[in-house]
Amino acid sequence: TLYFSAVTMKLAILALCLVAAVCAESGALLLAGKTLVNKVAAENQDLVVKYTIYNVGEGVATDINLKDQNFDPQWFEIVGSPSASWASLEAGASVTHTVVLRPHFSNYFNFTSAEVTYYSAGEKQATYTSNPGVVGIAPEATYLREFDPHYLDWALIIIFLAVPLGLPYLRWKAARANGVQPEKTKSK
């Protein structure tokens, strides 16, 4: 087993050296992420999807195209475009793109990766964004019950509290206007 661990360690070091050599090339290397900005996804409520693309390579990436074919029009009303393009992206720079969706149904939906294509040192490259995974879309009634500001409810509470607090105040104010003053105690 000691021989097996030594061979495994040597293979791991070799793999790391190969990865380092590939990353050390002078070309561009894009990493892409796809995240849901909202904490809660709900039916008929805006759901913001944010794409971020980072150039972690040494060179400039050109003709960058983001394409997301994940959103079925039967499931979502799409505000904006799930596709975007940029002419170039310098080394160490990043770009973002957002899309607003309005889900038509409450159910579970699998948000899969988007595809990013670009040219690095004249060669066409492709990568994929991260995958947000399966997200539960809450029914609209449940969402509104939990997150609605409930203005009507608060107005009714204020009205109901005005009666028991307001009537004694009005009686006191009327008694004071009639000249009834509370007695003052004299101290010796």
Side-chain angles (χ1 to χ4, degrees):
T1 60
L2 184 59
Y3 174 74
F4 181 71
S5 342
V7 170
T8 305
M9 181 63 85
K10 287 179 184 177
L11 288 175
I13 291 172
L14 179 64
L16 286 174
C17 290
L18 288 174
V19 169
V22 168
C23 290
E25 290 181 7
S26 62
L29 178 63
L30 298 186
L31 298 178
K34 176 181 177 180
T35 57
L36 301 178
V37 176
N38 302 54
K39 292 184 180 184
V40 177
E43 175 184 11
N44 296 322
Q45 301 295 320
D46 288 351
L47 176 63
V48 180
V49 179
K50 180 180 177 182
Y51 304 92
T52 307
I53 302 172
Y54 303 94
N55 185 353
V56 296
E58 298 292 323
V60 177
T62 57
D63 194 21
I64 305 155
N65 292 300
L66 168 72
K67 191 173 192 181
D68 195 346
Q69 298 176 338
N70 189 39
F71 310 121
D72 186 357
Q74 293 178 348
W75 275 79
F76 298 101
E77 176 186 342
I78 302 169
V79 179
S81 174
S83 300
S85 60
W86 298 270
S88 66
L89 184 61
E90 296 292 325
S94 65
V95 291
T96 60
H97 176 68
T98 56
V99 175
V100 177
L101 307 172
R102 288 193 193 101
H104 295 305
F105 308 107
S106 62
N107 205 339
Y108 289 97
F109 187 79
N110 186 15
F111 287 89
T112 58
S113 301
E115 182 181 22
V116 178
T117 57
Y118 63 100
Y119 285 90
S120 172
E123 290 186 32
K124 187 170 185 174
Q125 305 286 327
T127 187
Y128 293 92
T129 64
S130 59
N131 179 359
V134 177
V135 174
I137 299 172
E140 185 176 22
T142 303
Y143 175 81
L144 292 176
R145 184 172 50 247
E146 291 184 30
F147 297 102
D148 190 44
H150 304 284
Y151 293 125
L152 179 61
D153 299 342
W154 283 107
L156 289 174
I157 289 171
I158 290 170
I159 290 170
F160 289 140
L161 286 176
V163 172
L165 294 176
L167 286 178
Y169 172 74
L170 291 175
R171 286 185 53 132
W172 171 78
K173 192 173 180 181
R176 190 167 178 203
N178 289 336
V180 177
Q181 296 290 331
E183 291 184 22
K184 295 183 181 179
T185 57
K186 294 182 181 179
S187 54
K188 293 184 179 187

